[in-house]
Amino acid sequence: CEVMQQAGLFDEGLIVWQDAPPSIHLGSRLIRRLIEQRPDVDGVLCHSDDLALGVIFECQRLGIAIPARLSVVGFGDLSFSAAANPSLTTIRPPGDLIGKEAARLIIARIAHPDAEPERGVIDTRFTLLHRQSS
């Protein structure tokens, strides 16, 4: 959102959200809603690969070509991401590093319960895996 705002391209109407656990079914429902609201949308970034797979399935049912008409990107690099058809472009977070940082913060808090908790962003980096869906 920040990058889109800086580029002068942010549009709140492009964010489709439902307070529910990510699932393939939810991805299907959300992309249908987005297409109804914004038929000109040409790309979708999902916060999980489950949602992205639902987007792909719904687009296939609706005859929307991926990536020619709509690009889809997920997050998580789940086991099915590379095997999907088309294979899913996704962001692979470094799970081991995230776990180590979480453990470090928990141990520090236990060791010093009265200390001010560490604040700020911990940059763990990520890898963009460009596949067929974008």
Side-chain angles (χ1 to χ4, degrees), residues 50-97:
D50 290 329
L51 287 175
L53 187 61
V55 168
I56 289 173
F57 287 165
E58 191 64 23
C59 286
Q60 289 170 342
R61 283 189 284 274
L62 295 172
I64 296 171
I66 296 173
R69 165 63 182 82
L70 183 76
S71 294
V72 181
V73 178
F75 182 91
D77 192 28
L78 299 180
S79 61
F80 63 78
S81 301
N85 186 19
S87 59
L88 179 62
T89 297
T90 188
I91 295 170
R92 179 189 294 156
D96 57 337
L97 182 55

Side-chain angles (χ1 to χ4, degrees), residues 2-99:
E2 290 176 18
V3 171
M4 295 292 285
Q5 286 172 337
Q6 291 169 1
L9 299 171
F10 181 75
D11 180 348
E12 186 76 32
L14 292 174
I15 298 174
V16 179
W17 177 262
Q18 185 172 335
D19 189 16
S23 70
I24 293 169
H25 294 293
L26 181 60
S28 295
R29 288 194 310 269
L30 292 177
I31 191 60
R32 186 174 283 271
R33 183 186 316 159
L34 179 61
I35 290 169
E36 288 171 0
Q37 295 172 358
R38 301 298 293 266
D40 61 332
V41 68
D42 62 0
V44 178
L45 175 61
C46 300
H47 69 77
S48 81
D49 285 356
D50 290 329
L51 287 175
L53 187 61
V55 168
I56 289 173
F57 287 165
E58 191 64 23
C59 286
Q60 289 170 342
R61 283 189 284 274
L62 295 172
I64 296 171
I66 296 173
R69 165 63 182 82
L70 183 76
S71 294
V72 181
V73 178
F75 182 91
D77 192 28
L78 299 180
S79 61
F80 63 78
S81 301
N85 186 19
S87 59
L88 179 62
T89 297
T90 188
I91 295 170
R92 179 189 294 156
D96 57 337
L97 182 55
I98 292 169

Side-chain angles (χ1 to χ4, degrees), residues 108-120:
R109 188 74 175 142
I110 291 170
H112 307 286
D114 296 328
E116 183 68 26
E118 185 176 326
R119 304 263 187 233

